[in-house]
Amino acid sequence: MSHRKVYIETYGCQMNVNDTEVIFSILAKAGYERTENMEEADVLMANTCSVRDNAEQRIWGRIDQFYGQKRLREGVVTGIVGCMAERLKDKLLESGRVDFVAGPDTYRSLPSMLAAVRPGFPQINVELSREETYADIEPVRIDKNGVSAFISIMRGCNNVCSYCVVPYTRGAERSRDPRTIVREACDLFSKGYREVTLLGQNVDSYLWKGNDGDVDFADLLASVAAISPDLRVRFSTSHPKDISDKVIVTMSEHDNICRHIHLPVQSGSDAMLEKMRRRYTREWYLGRVAKIREVMPDCAITTDIIAGFCGETLSDHEDTLSVMRAVGYDYAYMFQYSERPGTLAALKYPDDIPAEEKTRRLNEIISLQNELSLESNRRDVGKTFKVLVEGPSKRDPKDSCGRASNNKMCVFPSAVPEKGLSDCKAGDYVNVKVLSCTSATLICERV
Ligand code: SAH
Ligand code: SF4
Ligand code: F3S
């Protein structure tokens, strides 16, 4: 059964993208080949997300698609891995449409599970682990540009934000050995990668207890940044209750640690924050923002916001709008509250904001953020940035695109012969000056 072809669809967060890379690596060692074409695959799987109900609904549709392939071609095996596997194992098996279900900590067992699959005997492993970090596995990169890669530095989450399913789908928090993280980043750099994003649900609580002392997140950042000044370092996600002055100062001490912090606020109302069990107040949050701005005035701050959480009054909602204005976010991911079965909020608080009202509040949040993003981009017009080129721009192949340190997407001419600036390619650094902008892009010239 060697060289069977595997097709994986990935949903959810960046951590899931990295997990898919880990799965490909594990399966490659077992003789499987990767394919991007579902029609030629022997094994089809979806690496799934449970964070909101609409994420799960989409995946049920994919399961039907996969089942269609199974009926067309003999020997095709289909499965669900990732966060939904953890939450919906029984329902998935009852559907009779999947041959295997594997949770996020069980990917090492995938080769043996696949080998054991027989019609009518689905394989299941949803065990969560306290130790698994896949530290020794070299992910097979699935990104297209060969310039930026994700590195998971920890798994799971020890917070209990009342709305959130992640602690249940991914288990307890555990940090990965920093030596394996630095080794992976060095290896990526030597292969031509120029940017790594360190991933964790709460990177600020990263802690490795080694024989020669503890390594916290700031220490880890400094060691990854020391690999080369030409390797950019990003990270996500920071937790407002845990982001330390040491992290902020460490960032400011390294030009190659990007000037961007993703700092999800979720709500601007203390009453909501309390119910969400975020364990900070609006005042604390704004204090962290002030500290970031004091140390790094050019640091972009982005956020996640939930509209219409349980019992949210109009005045709570106004507090969210006002915190957005007070911070002036550069970018935001915005969601309607979606009740997740089994979470604290689902058990304790009625999901009582009507759907239309949630949508209305969300739309208000989105249109405010559009204004704020545009204002933030306008503030950058006239500034000069060092950009890491990602490749040709989608709109016009004569242009290239890439991100500034503050994570904003810049578009600029690939070559300017009259200035003696030759064609740039993915992985190059170029200097640009911002000429104009939209709410999503900075339009630049090369300088
Ligand atoms: N660990 C990160 C993000 C986890 S999930 C953090 O602590 O911020 C990504 C985002 O999804 C969250 O920040 C939150 O805004 C959103 N989210 C999580 N659960 C949700 C739910 N039940 N309904 C709506 N949005 C949710
Ligand atoms: Fe979910 Fe909160 Fe953990 Fe983020 S910190 S993953 S929102 S429980
Ligand atoms: Fe979704 Fe799991 Fe990530 S629930 S957001 S894929 S940790």
Side-chain angles (χ1 to χ4, degrees):
M1 289 277 244
S2 66
H3 295 300
R4 295 178 77 204
K5 291 198 167 82
V6 189
Y7 170 84
I8 309 183
E9 279 180 11
T10 310
Y11 298 88
C13 60
Q14 297 170 332
M15 257 161 269
N16 250 17
V17 175
N18 194 225
D19 280 5
T20 292
E21 299 179 322
V22 165
I23 296 172
F24 275 126
S25 173
I26 290 168
L27 290 179
K29 284 216 176 68
Y32 290 85
E33 239 173 60
R34 173 181 173 217
T35 176
E36 289 183 70
N37 178 2
M38 172 162 103
E39 268 112 50
E40 64 165 29
D42 305 292
V43 180
L44 296 117
M45 64 180 107
N47 187 3
T48 59
C49 175
S50 272
V51 79
R52 284 169 292 275
D53 185 56
N54 54 8
E56 286 188 355
Q57 293 312 323
R58 268 174 76 201
I59 287 153
W60 285 107
R62 294 313 292 163
I63 294 173
D64 289 343
Q65 280 272 316
F66 287 1
Y67 190 64
Q69 288 294 313
K70 208 172 147 61
R71 298 197 354 182
L72 280 177
R73 292 179 292 127
E74 212 173 311
V76 169
V77 167
T78 65
I80 293 295
V81 304
C83 292
M84 231 172 122
E86 226 37 70
R87 218 183 75 70
L88 291 168
K89 45 192 181 281
D90 299 331
K91 241 176 123 183
L92 286 163
L93 291 176
E94 276 161 27
S95 76
R97 304 202 151 198
V98 295
D99 300 299
F100 63 95
V101 175
D105 288 342
T106 70
Y107 298 146
R108 287 180 204 267
S109 72
L110 274 173
S112 58
M113 288 174 77
L114 287 174
V117 164
R118 300 280 177 277
F121 293 95
Q123 296 290 309
I124 174 163
N125 187 353
V126 291
E127 204 84 14
L128 286 169
S129 157
R130 294 200 150 262
E131 286 92 35
E132 181 63 274
T133 59
Y134 301 112
D136 56 315
I137 293 181
E138 189 190 332
V140 171
R141 301 295 165 183
I142 57 174
D143 64 283
K144 294 261 165 15
N145 63 18
V147 172
S148 44
F150 297 132
I151 302 181
S152 295
I153 62 164
M154 57 209 294
R155 297 181 70 83
C157 182
N158 277 357
N159 294 310
V160 270
C161 303
S162 62
Y163 51 82
C164 183
V165 80
V166 171
Y168 307 94
T169 63
R170 296 217 153 221
E173 180 187 287
R174 64 224 99 122
S175 295
R176 174 180 169 187
D177 185 335
R179 288 163 297 188
T180 69
I181 297 170
V182 172
R183 199 185 307 142
E184 190 172 326
C186 278
D187 187 50
L188 284 163
F189 184 69
S190 70
K191 289 184 171 135
Y193 282 82
R194 290 295 172 263
E195 184 174 87
V196 293
T197 304
L198 308 180
L199 297 177
Q201 293 296 351
N202 176 1
V203 290
D204 302 296
S205 64
Y206 175 90
L207 187 64
W208 178 260
K209 292 191 172 296
N211 296 333
D212 346 316
D214 292 355
V215 177
D216 65 15
F217 182 58
D219 302 330
L220 179 71
L221 265 180
S223 355
V224 179
I227 293 172
S228 164
D230 284 334
L231 180 68
R232 275 187 171 178
V233 187
R234 297 187 183 277
F235 56 89
S236 187
T237 300
S238 302
H239 199 303
K241 78 175 162 62
D242 294 319
I243 186 168
S244 64
D245 288 357
K246 187 176 167 193
V247 165
I248 298 169
V249 170
T250 304
M251 287 178 74
S252 73
E253 286 167 351
H254 295 84
D255 284 341
N256 60 331
I257 303 181
C258 288
R259 296 293 185 259
H260 170 212
I261 298 180
H262 186 62
L263 198 64
V265 66
Q266 314 298 0
S267 168
S269 144
D270 280 342
M272 289 296 107
L273 288 171
E274 167 87 40
K275 262 183 155 175
M276 288 176 167
R277 292 221 183 188
R278 289 289 287 177
R279 296 189 283 169
Y280 52 82
T281 59
R282 176 190 175 102
E283 192 188 344
W284 170 269
Y285 184 93
L286 290 173
R288 293 287 74 199
V289 169
K291 182 72 193 179
I292 295 166
R293 297 252 159 92
E294 175 202 317
V295 180
M296 294 177 291
D298 56 343
C299 187
I301 300 179
T302 59
T303 201
D304 292 349
I305 294 172
I306 299 177
F309 186 59
C310 312
E312 187 187 67
T313 63
L314 280 176
S315 122
D316 294 322
H317 170 62
E318 283 302 325
D319 288 345
T320 295
L321 297 171
S322 76
V323 89
M324 291 171 70
R325 283 191 207 98
V327 179
Y329 290 112
D330 299 280
Y331 189 82
Y333 297 93
M334 299 154 283
F335 313 99
Q336 293 185 29
Y337 173 58
S338 163
E339 184 176 272
R340 309 314 291 134
T343 57
L344 228 53
L347 299 173
K348 274 180 77 177
Y349 310 119
D351 178 13
D352 54 0
I353 309 299
E356 336 54 280
E357 179 58 14
K358 279 186 192 167
T359 311
R360 193 193 66 78
R361 293 181 194 180
L362 178 65
N363 286 338
E364 236 169 60
I365 290 170
I366 293 173
S367 56
L368 173 58
Q369 185 53 47
N370 286 342
E371 284 171 36
L372 295 175
S373 299
L374 184 61
E375 275 172 30
S376 148
N377 284 353
R378 281 193 182 134
R379 284 194 295 270
D380 284 343
V381 173
K383 288 188 192 161
T384 304
F385 291 122
K386 181 174 164 189
V387 167
L388 174 60
V389 180
E390 289 180 12
S393 144
K394 276 178 215 95
R395 287 256 179 84
D396 183 345
K398 286 199 294 298
D399 287 344
S400 289
C401 64
R403 285 176 196 279
S405 176
N406 65 10
N407 208 36
K408 288 185 188 174
M409 186 51 88
C410 301
V411 176
F412 44 88
S414 307
V416 194
E418 57 277 20
K419 284 195 204 163
L421 297 168
S422 57
D423 231 359
C424 57
K425 56 176 194 317
D428 290 346
Y429 285 103
V430 298
N431 291 318
V432 302
K433 187 172 173 194
V434 185
L435 299 172
S436 64
C437 66
T438 67
S439 65
T441 316
L442 302 179
I443 298 147
C444 311
E445 64 174 348
R446 283 184 63 187
V447 290

